[in-house]
Amino acid sequence: MLVFYKERLALLSVPKTGSTAYHSALRARADLVITHPPELKHAPVRRYDRFIQNMFRKMYDTEMEIMAVVREPIDWLGSWYRFRRREDRIGHPHSTRDVSFDAFVQAYMQTPQPEFANVGSQSQFFRPRNNGVGASYVFKYDHQDRIVEFLQSRLNYDFTLQRENVSPPAETILSSETEAAYRKHSRADFAVYDAAQ
C-alpha cells in the first residue's frame, strides 16, 4: 500500500497484480509505505477504509481517493497457481506442485477451499464498508501504459517500472467445463474486471 498525501491518493495492492513493482518504483515518492505484513500491504478496501482512511478523516478531515489494479480472473488464478509451484513451497500446504491448474481452479470453487486454493477474491478486495467509499480508479492489469500514465500525471513524477516477483512458468490450461463453472462461480470477479479502465 502506498499513500500520497498531497495528491490525496492511496494505491492499494491487490495480490498478484504487479504491486511489488509499483512499490519499488514509487516508495521514495510516497508519504506512507506499507510493505509488511502482507495483511496490511494487501489490505482490501474495507480494511483500508476502516483503519488508514479513517485516520486521515479524523486527524485531517480529508480522504484519499483509492486506486488499484485488477487482473483478468483466470489469469489472476494462473498467477497464484504458478506462484505456489515455486521450489520453496514444496511440502507446504500452499504448494500446487502436484496439482494441475484445472484441479486448482476446481478446488478454488469448493466450500471450504483446500489451503492451497485459498487465495481470496478480487471482487471481495474491492467491496466497501456499508458506510465507506469504494475505489475511485480501477485499472486493468493488462493496461500497464494507462496505469503508469495516470500515476505519472497525478503525482507529477516520472518513473520506470521493472518486473518483480514474477511467478515461474507453468501450464495453465482449463477444460471448457471447468472454465464455464468458474465463470459462473466468480461472475462478480469478472464484473469488476470488465468495469475497470
Side-chain angles (χ1 to χ4, degrees):
M1 178 192 304
L2 300 173
V3 177
F4 306 91
Y5 179 74
K6 180 180 156 189
E7 292 78 13
R8 302 295 192 267
L9 183 70
L11 173 55
L12 301 193
S13 301
V14 180
K16 310 313 296 169
T17 62
S19 56
T20 301
Y22 283 96
H23 272 239
S24 295
L26 296 171
R27 67 183 306 138
R29 176 66 176 75
D31 297 300
L32 179 63
V33 179
I34 301 176
T35 58
H36 290 94
E39 293 79 12
L40 290 180
K41 175 188 177 181
H42 297 295
V45 169
R46 292 171 66 85
R47 190 176 305 143
Y48 167 80
D49 188 56
R50 181 174 177 202
F51 296 105
I52 309 298
Q53 185 84 288
N54 210 29
M55 176 179 64
F56 288 113
R57 285 189 196 112
K58 288 183 176 180
M59 293 182 69
Y60 304 105
D61 194 29
T62 191
E63 288 189 1
M64 305 297 117
E65 289 189 298
I66 297 171
M67 175 201 166
V69 177
V70 65
R71 195 164 180 166
E72 193 280 329
I74 295 173
D75 187 43
W76 183 72
L77 279 188
S79 183
W80 271 114
Y81 172 74
R82 293 190 311 275
F83 180 74
R84 289 186 165 186
R85 286 178 61 83
R86 294 171 308 164
E87 295 287 331
D88 66 341
R89 296 284 86 189
I90 293 175
H92 191 279
H94 286 167
S95 178
T96 57
R97 177 65 65 151
D98 298 321
V99 179
S100 71
F101 182 56
D102 198 88
F104 174 74
V105 174
Q106 289 178 26
Y108 178 80
M109 293 185 285
Q110 292 175 8
T111 304
Q113 294 168 322
E115 195 167 341
F116 70 85
N118 185 357
V119 297
S121 159
Q122 291 184 103
S123 60
Q124 285 298 310
F125 184 97
F126 286 100
R127 190 167 62 93
R129 294 168 67 205
N130 291 338
N131 60 345
V133 296
S136 302
Y137 306 98
V138 181
F139 291 90
K140 291 180 178 174
Y141 172 83
D142 36 327
H143 292 169
Q144 293 295 321
D145 54 337
R146 291 185 191 173
I147 302 167
V148 170
E149 182 181 331
F150 173 82
L151 286 167
Q152 287 182 338
S153 174
R154 180 75 177 249
L155 304 176
N156 192 26
Y157 183 74
D158 289 332
F159 64 91
T160 303
L161 206 59
Q162 304 294 326
R163 287 179 52 105
E164 294 191 39
N165 200 26
V166 179
S167 299
E171 190 173 86
T172 53
I173 296 172
L174 288 181
S175 68
S176 56
E177 294 82 11
T178 299
E179 181 175 344
Y182 173 60
R183 286 182 178 277
K184 182 177 180 182
H185 173 274
S186 297
R187 66 174 69 90
D189 285 13
F190 285 94
V192 167
Y193 177 77
D194 290 342
Q197 301 182 49

